[in-house]
Structures are given as structure tokens and as C-alpha cells.
Amino acid sequence: MPKRSNAPTVDPLSQAVTALPGVGPVVAGKLAARGLLSVQDLWLHLPLRYEDRTRVTPIANLVPSQPAQVEARVEAVERSFRYRPLLRVVVSDDSRGTLVLRFFHFGKAQLAQFVPGRRILCYGEARPGQHGLEMVHPSYRLLADDADAVIRDRLDPVYPAVEGLGPQSLSRLIGEALRLLPPAEALELLPADLRARLQLPTLRDALLTAHRPPPDADLAQFALGVHPAQRRLALEELLAHHLSLRRQRIALRAHGAMPVRPPGKLAAALGKRLKFKLTGAQQRVLEEVARDMSRPEPMLRLVQGDVGSGKTVVAALAAANAVEAGRQVALMAPTELLAEQHLANFRAWLEPLGVQVAWLAGKVTGKARTAALAEIASGRAQVVVGTHALMQDKVVFSSLALAIVDEQHRFGVHQRLALRDKGLDGSQVPHQLVMTATPIPRTLAMSAYADLDVSVIDEMPPGRTPVTTVAVSGERRGEVVERIRAACAEGRQAYWVCTLIEESEEVEGQAAQSTFEQLGQLLPELRLGLLHGRMKPAEKQAVMARFKAGELQLLVATTVIEVGVDVPNASLMIIENAERLGLAQLHQLRGRVGRGAAASSCVLMYKPPLSAMARERLEVMRASTDGFLIAEKDLELRGPGELLGTRQTGLASFRVADLVRDAGLLPTVHEVAETLLAEQPALADRLVRRWVGGAARFAGA
Ligand code: ADP
Ligand code: MG
């Protein structure tokens, strides 16, 4: 049948979920809310785990905490309301065992179903209870007396929930979607030799196996995410993402950029004005940057350097070169606080040399905004410092040659691109310098920043004494307060960081407020300041300025101070609820102290009792101040989503892949990506569209 062997005429990429029976606008809306738009999205909505209903386990053979299916009869039903409603259903089977099913919430109809003598098929995890084994909220089905208990011939997938859609309906819809899977050869994009080399199944087989594993499938392998079906999917997804970033890079490079190679007088003058000498690492990175900028292709460079390693001055020196060449520079920071600090530094460094530094943030409005925009458009503003506001359409540069983005992990890939586009005059784009203090292990960096070259500032400015870190139970709060009193009496300054994870900025602000009041009572002789995200920018700025000037001795703050804040005289930091923060974030926070000559310390306060994991994390912080080592540990203990900032990078949004678990695949991914780009660009294109789809933007495409 030669005609049938062609690919299906409807491209499942564009085939909407409404093509499936039973999917109208309402269901489609619920699916869309979860990002499931096309039939293909449903194929890629993979189970979280599986339930084995292919066999029945006699109650007498149940093993605690192992999920199992039981076929039994209802013996007794008890309700009680002692503390909260409780339903206990006692069931038994021929193995002479009894089992208690416990429900904490249940409806009337549900209650009416449980009649002694009725047959029930239930699935759950048995645990030792007061009266033998019990299952809490098992999934169950009541059987008619003469009905056969229908035993499944495949493992049941358990999918990530879609709000408003029951698990059964979702599973049915995915089943329908799978019926539309094209034949293997039409669907396959990975070259056969690669599949053979890695012993991976076809995409069709991998999808069918992942959604409907046969009863003999190795569930342990699935649980670890190393089943060949999962590895096959992960490999393809990682490959697609990597290809997408590489292609962005290639497309961007094709635009060309203005080579910046001035004599270097301005940078030299700035260097003379600095109160310090650059470290060897700063010097090296600056040379790498200058070399990139002297070329007619856009620089795409990431500068990684631990907190306090001195990235800002490297950026300022690069900016000086662009200004000397008669071009403009934009510097974007993720928070107003940080942007303002950069503004202050850049003004102090560059304005005495005759350079115009302009400011643009959300709060710059009205006449000031109009004036700033005019200065930027005319080119009079040679350096523009700001926040996201820099990316708005209204902002037009006259000749942007260098775009600097600080603390990159706070911005998404797309924002990175938006600033690049600001330089598009004719065919040229600006050079791009991205700075981050989040040390990323090498393998990850290659994936996260496949579109960037990486420089590392791996040396600290001299004269710093490492921060001593201690972990202290919250029960010893009194001693910690005394420590602050003593430090401030010696003329030092301190931070007190209030953390509330997963609460709103509002709640966090209130917590900081009450801590501020409480500490004010305990330390009446000190001048305290309060800083949180709900304050007006002008208030924040004023508090920061007073702290920096030494007028305030103790700054009570939320994690808004995490990024970039620089007050060298502050040498004591208290972090409350430290056990709840990720290592990368703790490291960032701790980086606020240890910036001056005085020996600094960081007190990690925790709420006992500590879990083993939390204990280990605090121990890592105590034992090391090396950002890279901490990052490796963080990766081990928490996974890359946390490390890179969950929403901020496209990275954490993998559907199948997990960078930690699948790290072993990355070298293959990188190698295959280069081959595909060189030899089969059309295939690379299809892979990217399949997995990254509309989310990826290709500069110039
Ligand atoms: P980060 O890399 O965290 O952004 P900064 O650029 O804010 O670090 O620098 C931290 C502090 O170190 C600043 O006060 C800066 O002026 C100072 N600094 C930078 N480079 C040097 C150096 N080579 N020697 C001494 N101090 C330096
Ligand atoms: Mg910085």
C-alpha cells in the first residue's frame, strides 16, 4: 500500500485537542490552562507514576507501604466525629485478613455505598494502624455481586492533574490522543544510527510504553526515570532545547555587530580612578570581553563570578570602551534596588570622566521619563542604567553597542533577547554581556547557556576575611540578639533577614514589620531600618542610603536584599528560617557580608527539629564559602529548578527531562546537536518545533 506509507496529512503539532472525541471548548479550556493545546501536548503529558492493578493481593500478604490491589467484602462501617469526620470501613477477604479503609472527607452518596456484604476492589498503600493494616483514602470501586473484578492488562498511569478534569477523563483523552499517533517512521526524528548506538526505542514505542507500560515493565526503573522509554524522550527533549539555543546563537551571530576597538583611554582613566587594582581574574575576563567586542560579530558572553568577586567594575570598563568608540551602553538589573546601586557606581566612576549616565526604571514617569527617552534616542545618554523598563518598545537607542544584563538568572531567556533587539539597526545587534553570581556546574552551564560563551571570575579581591558561618537554633534567639548588640557597639552593622517561603510579598513584609518592632524593643539603643518588597521604591532607596551611610545599624529585611546589595561595613548577618532556603539563595544572602576588612559572620537560625536533609544543607553552608562547591551540592540535594530559579529559565520547564537525573545524556546531546546543525538543519528545525515550539524565538527568523 504505497500511499499509506506517507506521513499523515494533518500535522499533529497543529492538530488542536478539539480534534479528539468529547473535547469541546470547555474541556479544551481546562487543558489549555495546563498548557495542553495540541494532540501532541497530550502525548507528552507523561504519567507521574503507575498503579499496578494487573493483580490482586490477598490481604494477608499485604506489605506495609507497598501499593497493592485488594478484592474484599465490606464487614463493618463506622463513623465518628471526635475531632473531625472520620469514616472507617472494615473489609476482609478469603485470606482471613482484615483491612481498615479510612476516609476523612466523604459525601453522603459515598457513605451510602458502603453496605456490609458488598464486594469492593480497592487500591492503595497499606500502613500499620491501630487495629492492624489500614489504607487511607484508597481508590476503590464497588462491584456487583456477580461481576468479575476486571483486572487490568496494563499498568494504570497516574497523570499530573488537570484542574477540573477527573483523572479518568484525562486518562481517556490521552488514550484518544495516542490513537492518533502516526506510524513509527513518520514520527521519528532521531537518526537510526544514534538510536541503535544508545539502544533507544523509537519515539512511538517510547510514548506507548511510557503511557501504557506492560504488566512486566520494570516499575523501579520508571520510578528512577531511567527506563529506556524515558531516556529516549529525555534525550530528544534535551536535544531540542539545546538545538534551539544553539540556533539562536547562530542566527544572532549572522547579524554582525559593530566592532568596538578604541585606543582604551577612557578605560585607562577609569582604572586610575579606582581605589584598587583589578585581580588577575578580573583582568583576564576583561580581556576576553574586549576581544569579543572588537569583532564584527556580536559578543554573547556570560561572566560568572561569585558574590563579591567584582563583576560590576569589569562591566564598567567594558562600557567605557563602547563609550569611547562613540556608542551607547545599556545596563539592566532585575530589581530597582540593584539597578540604583549600579547607577550610583556608574555615575561615580564615569561622570567625572565626562560620560552621561541616564536612568530609566518603572518609577521614572511623566516629564522625567520623556526627557530620559529623548536623551537615549538622541545618543546624548551614553550609558543607560535601568530595570525591565529598558525593554519597553518606547525605548529607542541611537547606537546601542553593548547590552549588559546583571544577575541573569533572574531574567528569562526571552528578556535576554528583548534587549538584544534594541540594537537592531539594519543588520547589527549589540554585543551582549551577561553577569551572574549563580555558579552553575559546568555540564549545566553548557545546557543552560548553550547560546553564550562563559568567562569565570574565580578569584576574590584581596584583603577579605572569609565569612564564619554558624547554625543556631531559633531557641537561642536571645543570644543572637546579644551578638548584634555587641557588634553594633563596636561600630559594625548587621542585617536581619526574615524569610517566608511560598508566602506572598505582602505576608513577608508583615513578618519583617513585626520582627522589626520586636527587635526595636530588644535593642532600644540601636537605630533600626526596615526593608521589604511592599515598600515604595523611594522609601526603599532612602533606607538603603541611610544604611550605607552608617546611620542605620541594623537592617531588618526580607530577601529583597539578596541580590547585589553592597555595604562593606556590614559584617554580621542573621538569616531566620535558614533551613527553608535553597543553598544558592543562602549563599547569595551571605554574600552581603564579608565585603570589608572586618571579620564577618553569618548566623543561620533554624527552627528545630531539623530534618536530615536540612541538617546536611546547613552543614554545607557552614563548611564552605565556595559558590561552585555549594552549587554542586545544591544540585545534588535539590535539583536544577531551584538552582537556576524555577520560573526564570526556560530550563525548569522540561516536560520529561531532568537535568540532574539525565546529566549523563548531556555530552551525547551536545555532540549530536553539532552534527545535526551541520548536516541536517531541517531535521534540527523539526525537533525544535516539536519540543520547544512557539516558546522559542529565533532572532531574525
Ligand atoms: P559582584 O561580583 O558580587 O557584583 P561587586 O562588583 O559588587 O561584586 O564588587 C564587590 C565589592 O568589591 C565592591 O565594593 C567593589 O568596589 C569591590 N571590588 C571590586 N573589584 C575589586 C578589586 N580588584 N579589589 C578590591 N575591591 C574590589
Ligand atoms: Mg553584582
Side-chain angles (χ1 to χ4, degrees):
M1 300 186 291
K3 269 189 189 146
R4 292 283 317 267
S5 71
N6 282 334
T9 44
V10 183
D11 179 1
L13 275 179
S14 51
Q15 198 169 7
V17 285
T18 44
L20 299 171
V23 180
V26 175
V27 173
K30 290 174 181 167
L31 291 170
R34 194 73 166 71
L36 304 171
L37 305 172
S38 66
V39 168
Q40 175 182 276
D41 290 334
L42 289 176
W43 299 343
L44 299 178
H45 194 68
L46 295 179
L48 289 171
R49 58 191 168 82
Y50 305 91
E51 292 180 350
D52 184 358
R53 291 190 180 81
T54 62
R55 66 196 118 197
V56 164
T57 306
I59 292 177
N61 295 359
L62 285 176
V63 178
S65 29
Q66 251 177 39
Q69 175 168 254
V70 167
E71 187 187 344
R73 268 182 203 281
V74 175
E75 291 280 334
V77 181
E78 286 168 32
R79 289 171 68 188
S80 81
F81 289 96
R82 195 121 45 104
Y83 301 107
R84 51 179 172 168
L86 173 68
L87 174 64
R88 297 172 78 238
V89 179
V90 184
V91 303
S92 69
D93 68 3
D94 298 340
S95 72
R96 311 181 131 250
T98 51
L99 175 70
V100 176
L101 315 180
R102 252 149 142 1
F103 299 88
F104 297 108
H105 27 87
F106 44 91
K108 275 207 181 113
Q110 202 177 0
L111 193 62
Q113 291 178 321
F114 295 113
V115 176
R118 281 203 72 176
R119 284 173 70 212
I120 184 170
L121 195 61
C122 57
Y123 181 93
E125 213 171 272
R127 286 187 221 144
Q130 282 172 338
H131 313 282
L133 288 178
E134 51 180 49
M135 282 186 186
V136 177
H137 278 270
S139 66
Y140 68 92
R141 201 152 49 90
L142 287 149
L143 300 171
D145 244 348
D146 51 353
D148 281 337
V150 187
I151 302 301
R152 304 270 216 287
D153 59 354
R154 302 214 152 233
L155 303 177
D156 289 338
V158 179
Y159 290 104
V162 169
E163 207 175 318
L165 213 60
Q168 309 274 351
S169 319
L170 180 60
S171 186
R172 185 189 63 78
L173 281 182
I174 290 173
E176 294 287 353
L178 289 173
R179 286 158 60 105
L180 297 183
L181 269 178
E185 65 276 20
L187 193 64
E188 194 54 47
L189 293 180
L190 291 190
D193 57 337
L194 174 69
R195 263 185 8 245
R197 175 151 64 92
L198 300 174
Q199 298 187 317
L200 296 174
T202 63
L203 179 60
R204 185 185 155 90
D205 283 346
L207 285 171
L208 290 174
T209 307
H211 283 284
R212 304 283 184 263
D216 60 351
D218 186 340
L219 279 187
Q221 251 188 354
F222 265 110
L224 291 172
V226 296
H227 191 279
Q230 291 165 305
R231 281 171 56 82
R232 152 71 218 227
L233 295 169
L235 179 91
E236 186 170 325
E237 182 172 37
L238 290 169
L239 182 60
H241 277 263
H242 193 72
L243 283 169
S244 141
L245 286 173
R246 295 302 292 172
R247 288 193 5 168
Q248 280 178 19
R249 181 187 166 92
I250 291 167
L252 202 84
R253 285 281 172 130
H255 278 295
M258 171 62 72
V260 172
R261 35 174 115 91
K265 284 188 191 143
L266 195 59
L270 171 54
K272 277 212 195 88
R273 289 180 50 82
L274 293 175
K275 296 186 200 92
F276 48 78
K277 249 184 82 210
L278 293 191
T279 61
Q282 283 172 316
Q283 193 65 48
R284 190 192 70 238
V285 171
L286 185 62
E287 276 159 24
E288 283 164 358
V289 168
R291 192 173 339 118
D292 281 359
M293 286 174 63
S294 72
R295 298 201 174 122
E297 306 102 51
M299 165 172 74
L300 296 166
R301 188 166 288 278
L302 174 77
V303 174
Q304 265 190 301
D306 216 335
V307 265
S309 62
K311 295 180 289 292
T312 320
V313 71
V314 172
L317 289 161
N321 278 335
V323 169
E324 187 179 346
R327 297 303 206 99
Q328 284 175 300
V329 178
L331 167 56
M332 181 167 81
T335 64
E336 216 146 82
L337 202 60
L338 186 55
E340 270 163 2
Q341 201 170 282
H342 282 319
L343 179 71
N345 278 327
F346 272 58
R347 283 203 163 139
W349 284 332
L350 293 170
E351 281 183 349
L353 301 172
V355 179
Q356 287 284 332
V357 182
W359 167 239
L360 195 71
K363 70 175 178 201
V364 180
T365 51
K367 276 195 195 133
R369 181 175 206 85
T370 315
L373 290 177
E375 300 246 291
I376 297 169
S378 71
R380 261 199 318 279
Q382 292 158 292
V383 176
V384 187
V385 180
T387 57
H388 306 77
L390 283 179
M391 292 185 302
Q392 287 157 358
D393 288 343
K394 290 253 173 62
V395 185
V396 180
F397 289 85
S398 123
S399 61
L400 182 61
L402 174 62
I404 305 168
V405 182
D406 193 15
E407 302 296 351
Q408 137 73 24
H409 68 294
R410 292 295 183 106
F411 291 108
V413 169
H414 306 293
Q415 285 164 312
R416 201 154 89 199
L417 290 175
L419 198 50
R420 281 173 190 179
D421 292 352
K422 288 288 177 196
L424 271 175
D425 56 346
S427 66
Q428 292 188 338
V429 298
H431 294 289
Q432 205 193 340
L433 184 64
V434 174
M435 303 191 287
T436 178
T438 310
I440 299 179
R442 220 181 69 84
T443 39
L444 279 196
M446 277 179 76
S447 288
Y449 303 120
D451 56 339
L452 300 171
D453 298 309
V454 178
S455 295
V456 183
I457 304 187
D458 50 6
E459 184 184 345
M460 283 294 186
R464 305 243 167 113
T465 35
V467 181
T468 315
T469 302
V470 290
V472 166
S473 156
E475 288 161 0
R476 291 166 57 195
R477 201 181 171 96
E479 291 168 41
V480 175
V481 169
E482 288 316 310
R483 209 164 156 164
I484 296 174
R485 199 190 308 275
C488 293
E490 286 173 15
R492 291 156 61 188
Q493 288 170 282
Y495 295 99
W496 184 293
V497 184
C498 306
T499 63
L500 280 179
I501 294 293
E502 281 160 330
E503 300 272 13
S504 64
E505 237 182 18
E506 177 106 39
V507 178
E508 202 172 50
Q510 282 164 5
Q513 174 78 41
S514 61
T515 305
F516 170 74
E517 284 161 15
Q518 190 201 8
L519 288 173
Q521 280 169 6
L522 294 170
L523 297 163
E525 75 277 26
L526 295 190
R527 295 180 302 276
L528 271 66
L530 174 65
L531 193 72
H532 60 73
R534 300 289 293 179
M535 286 162 55
K536 294 211 180 73
E539 292 168 353
K540 277 194 264 187
Q541 198 186 357
V543 170
M544 240 6 259
R546 291 182 61 206
F547 188 62
K548 202 159 183 165
E551 284 170 37
L552 298 174
Q553 294 160 290
L554 173 62
L555 185 64
V556 179
T558 61
T559 50
V560 293
I561 61 148
E562 174 190 343
V563 155
V565 169
D566 183 30
V567 179
N569 189 48
S571 60
L572 175 59
M573 163 155 291
I574 320 294
I575 305 175
E576 258 190 297
N577 300 321
E579 78 279 11
R580 294 199 255 167
L581 297 189
L583 294 185
Q585 199 178 7
L586 285 174
H587 181 66
Q588 284 279 333
L589 284 169
R590 184 173 58 182
R592 300 309 111 220
V593 292
R595 302 189 148 230
S600 295
S601 35
C602 175
V603 178
L604 304 174
M605 273 210 308
Y606 60 84
K607 204 182 260 151
L610 279 182
S611 69
M613 159 89 97
R615 188 175 298 278
E616 190 176 349
R617 298 229 315 270
L618 294 184
E619 177 53 27
V620 171
M621 289 304 295
R622 214 190 49 70
S624 175
T625 51
D626 176 341
F628 276 89
L629 195 143
I630 290 173
E632 299 274 0
K633 279 285 173 194
D634 209 15
L635 186 61
E636 258 173 59
L637 296 173
R638 277 172 80 115
E642 294 297 332
L643 189 63
L644 298 168
T646 317
R647 284 165 322 232
Q648 288 88 350
T649 38
L651 267 189
S653 62
F654 285 124
R655 306 190 205 212
V656 187
D658 173 325
L659 279 177
V660 178
R661 187 189 71 202
D662 301 321
L665 293 172
L666 291 174
T668 310
V669 164
H670 299 158
E671 170 206 317
V672 175
E674 296 314 311
T675 315
L676 281 186
L677 284 172
E679 293 168 12
Q680 290 172 279
L683 197 59
D685 202 54
R686 289 176 64 196
L687 272 166
V688 171
R689 265 191 297 137
R690 170 179 288 168
W691 288 90
V692 190
R697 267 187 55 210
F698 304 109

